[in-house]
Amino acid sequence: MENLNTYLQELIQKHRSNTEGTTANYIPELARVATDKFAMAIVTCDGTIYQAGDVEVPFTLQSTSKPFVYAMALEEHGREFMRSRVGVEPSGEAFNSIVELEKQTHRPYNPMINSGAIAVSSFIKDQKGLSREKRVLDLFGAYTNHQLAIDEKVFQSEKQTAHRNRSIAHLLRHFDVIGDDIDESLDLYFKQCSILVNTIDLALMAGTLANNGVQPQTKKIIVKPDYIADVLSLMLTCGMYDSAGEWAYTVGLPAKSGVSGGLLAVVPGKMGIAAYSPLIDQQGHSIRGVLAIKELVKKYKLSMFRSTHN
Ligand code: GLU
């Protein structure tokens, strides 16, 4: 792995010239970010960091926040409650689909799509004098080992234009999946999506999941190991939305993308991988990030389904 920094650099050079895709133009603040930025980082379970490209450039978590807030809700409410409110099946629909509630139960299909994630956020409440917002910020700060902040402009921009997410939340209220604090729940969801990180932060988050919930550098337990499989299995089957099947087939790793261009993948027991580049495809995935991670995984045979013993 000594040459990993050089290899990551090669991937950045190779794919930076790809200008396919668009920024997430349905959120005005995200539409105007610099499109040439591209970074990759890897954090191994022993805490070693490999990196290349624009790793210091900040971006908002967007949907890469979803598995982590789901893990927090699982710890607080337990598996039984969470499964009674949010399913564990891939929806095969786009991330912001309005028709993504199960026919019989009216639960959202899974916590990785917007309906499920908005429901999950509604279960995170103020606790012991700490606001739900502060609690979520502190959680991500524990993953990244430094205090994080919310990008107020992105938060406001998303909040003001979130007609679709608002209608999903009201549908969830209609079916009693969430309670009356609809606006507060949506605010928390928009805020978790607006938390600023860089690519190394994202790799540390992925590295913590890879390391069974223990932050690879601080060695603190951030997620109870018992819940790691819940989160990783959902990332594998639902993390890449309506291209989750293609991702599992070609990459074979639990992953999560965000419309800001962040992408993280987890090699259980080995490493967390992160990429950032803001030009996204129709499904909302970073185009350069997907290409680069696919190549990295192929070269080092990192797929969970590929035996390394031959
Ligand atoms: N905040 C975004 C939304 O709700 C997140 C979508 C994503 O990153 O996939 O539309």
Side-chain angles (χ1 to χ4, degrees):
M1 288 292 207
E2 315 86 65
N3 293 327
L4 203 45
N5 283 322
T6 316
Y7 180 61
L8 293 181
Q9 193 59 50
E10 277 169 35
L11 287 176
I12 298 276
Q13 266 158 13
K14 177 170 175 189
H15 295 291
R16 206 194 277 273
S17 56
N18 186 332
T19 54
E20 281 169 59
T22 57
T23 51
N25 43 26
Y26 73 101
I27 301 177
E29 262 317 296
L30 289 185
R32 61 170 83 131
V33 301
T35 57
D36 60 330
K37 300 294 179 242
F38 187 17
M40 292 191 78
I42 289 177
V43 174
T44 54
C45 287
D46 67 4
T48 310
I49 297 181
Y50 300 90
Q51 53 177 285
D54 305 306
V55 287
E56 303 296 335
V57 170
F59 57 92
T60 52
L61 282 174
Q62 297 303 326
S63 287
T64 56
S65 62
K66 290 172 180 172
F68 301 92
V69 180
Y70 181 61
M72 184 183 192
L74 267 176
E75 286 197 343
E76 280 180 40
H77 300 283
R79 200 168 274 136
E80 204 181 326
F81 173 83
M82 290 309 292
R83 290 206 55 177
S84 73
R85 299 299 181 96
V86 181
V88 292
E89 291 298 335
S91 73
E93 300 283 343
F95 67 92
N96 56 4
S97 171
I98 290 187
V99 291
E100 57 193 2
L101 302 184
E102 290 178 353
K103 303 224 164 16
Q104 302 295 323
T105 64
H106 302 120
R107 293 176 312 182
Y109 275 94
N110 67 70
M112 301 297 141
I113 47 179
N114 288 8
S115 58
I118 291 167
V120 169
S121 301
S122 81
F123 305 132
I124 306 293
K125 310 284 187 197
D126 297 353
Q127 205 179 75
K128 297 182 189 141
L130 291 176
S131 69
R132 26 167 61 166
E133 169 190 336
K134 169 93 174 99
R135 295 185 58 227
V136 166
L137 263 179
D138 286 351
L139 172 83
F140 284 104
Y143 278 102
T144 60
N145 196 25
H146 66 100
Q147 209 182 335
L148 298 173
I150 286 165
D151 184 325
E152 273 300 319
K153 278 193 181 159
V154 172
F155 165 62
Q156 291 298 341
S157 183
E158 178 159 0
K159 182 173 165 147
Q160 278 154 22
T161 54
H163 308 298
R164 206 175 169 110
N165 280 332
R166 233 169 256 290
S167 54
I168 290 174
H170 280 274
L171 208 56
L172 292 174
R173 174 66 197 90
H174 172 78
F175 287 119
D176 287 325
V177 175
I178 67 174
D180 284 328
D181 53 351
I182 304 170
D183 290 335
E184 293 83 352
S185 301
L186 279 168
D187 267 8
L188 184 68
Y189 172 73
F190 302 143
K191 280 182 178 162
Q192 78 187 51
C193 288
S194 305
I195 293 174
L196 279 166
V197 292
N198 63 31
T199 309
I200 293 175
D201 292 332
L202 202 61
L204 283 166
M205 290 160 53
T208 305
L209 296 183
N211 199 29
N212 215 20
V214 178
Q215 211 275 9
Q217 296 193 318
T218 63
K219 310 290 179 209
K220 286 187 188 148
I221 299 173
I222 318 293
V223 189
K224 285 199 187 100
D226 187 36
Y227 291 121
I228 291 294
D230 300 60
V231 176
L232 292 184
S233 57
L234 286 167
M235 287 169 70
L236 179 72
T237 53
C238 316
M240 299 297 274
Y241 305 133
D242 40 341
S243 60
E246 155 81 17
W247 179 267
Y249 185 84
T250 55
V251 180
L253 292 176
K256 189 73 207 80
S257 65
V259 290
S260 52
L263 175 60
L264 64 90
V266 177
V267 190
K270 294 198 177 115
M271 68 186 85
I273 304 169
Y276 167 68
S277 194
L279 291 173
I280 57 172
D281 61 18
Q282 295 273 312
Q283 277 89 22
H285 314 316
S286 169
I287 291 182
R288 293 181 187 120
V290 166
L291 289 171
I293 291 183
K294 272 190 179 170
E295 247 180 84
L296 170 83
V297 166
K298 197 168 170 203
K299 179 174 168 76
Y300 289 100
K301 299 188 172 56
L302 298 174
S303 164
M304 281 168 61
F305 307 112
R306 213 166 275 286
S307 166
T308 49
H309 301 295
N310 51 29

